[in-house]
Amino acid sequence: MTPSLEETLRSAIRTIPDYPKPGILFRDITTLLGNARAFRRAVDELVHPWAGSKIDKIAGIEARGFILGGAVAHQLSAGFVPIRKKGKLPHETVRVAYSLEYGLDEMEMHRDGVLPGEKVILVDDLIATGGTAEGAVRLIRQMGGEIVAACFVIDLPDLGGRRKLEALDVPVRTLVSFEGH
Ligand code: AMP
């Protein structure tokens, strides 16, 4: 029997306990990326609802969002725009502070990365508290971009990130969920 999408993806994701800190179960997607079938299925499923629609840009969050976002952009014939930690982008940027588990950090996008009215899909590997994705949504909207959706391979539903994005009127697509942190 062909394994379901959820089984294919779940079994391709490696879990590393106590990384980077005690108590965290790190969901490592390098094993999924290294598995040709799982990688292709993940990208195909992420883009599925928008196949054939006109999407201008895929915004990927550093760093794993770059890998998935590049593949998604190719599949949808869209451009790709990187969202990076502060100080990494060479041209003029817009910047936003976002909340991490402990404290704040800042992320940036090139000022001309998204043009007013462009339709944008946000991509990252995983949504936990949603603080990172919320910061990215604010940056894209600041540029006048229209967020069509945010897509993640993994959801940690106990941390509430999906609800946080939906409260900002951002439709959320995720493929596999894991309980707990
Ligand atoms: P958050 O802002 O809390 O939604 O965290 C999402 C960001 O942190 C994503 O870029 C994830 O790659 C990373 N992240 C958070 N928790 C985990 C986890 N348990 N395993 C792997 N990556 C994580």
Side-chain angles (χ1 to χ4, degrees):
M1 207 175 78
T2 318
S4 69
L5 169 74
E6 164 115 34
E7 284 165 51
T8 301
L9 299 184
R10 186 179 289 279
S11 62
I13 295 162
R14 173 164 57 194
T15 297
I16 304 190
D18 298 321
Y19 181 88
K21 287 186 291 206
I24 304 279
L25 288 173
F26 190 84
R27 308 298 180 176
D28 174 22
I29 64 148
T30 64
T31 40
L32 181 149
L33 298 173
N35 173 331
R37 177 180 158 79
F39 187 17
R40 172 174 274 285
R41 285 206 79 182
V43 173
D44 285 350
E45 284 301 318
L46 282 179
V47 305
H48 187 71
W50 301 283
S53 0
K54 184 171 167 3
I55 302 297
D56 299 294
K57 297 274 165 64
I58 303 302
I61 301 178
E62 186 172 3
R64 293 176 292 264
F66 291 178
I67 303 161
L68 292 162
V72 165
H74 175 79
Q75 196 93 322
L76 292 177
S77 300
F80 177 83
V81 53
I83 296 182
R84 299 205 64 179
K85 295 176 182 121
K86 67 167 183 255
K88 305 265 193 173
L89 288 167
H91 192 54
E92 267 183 61
T93 58
V94 283
R95 185 180 288 190
V96 73
Y98 66 104
S99 56
L100 291 170
E101 204 176 346
Y102 302 105
L104 285 180
D105 206 346
E106 288 176 299
M107 67 173 97
E108 293 181 334
M109 198 172 94
H110 274 149
R111 189 171 284 286
D112 57 4
V114 168
L115 305 177
E118 283 191 326
K119 292 190 189 307
V120 182
I121 293 180
L122 180 68
V123 177
D124 202 0
D125 64 330
L126 177 149
I127 182 159
T129 65
T132 310
E134 182 187 17
V137 164
R138 283 197 275 136
L139 269 184
I140 293 161
R141 286 186 171 161
Q142 207 180 314
M143 299 289 81
E146 183 198 325
I147 312 258
V148 174
C151 301
F152 309 85
V153 174
I154 304 169
D155 186 16
L156 303 184
D158 298 346
L159 298 183
R162 172 189 286 267
R163 282 193 303 280
K164 190 179 277 177
L165 291 191
E166 286 173 349
L168 295 170
D169 286 325
V170 176
V172 176
R173 177 159 178 81
T174 63
L175 304 181
V176 187
S177 44
F178 289 95
E179 279 178 19
H181 288 220

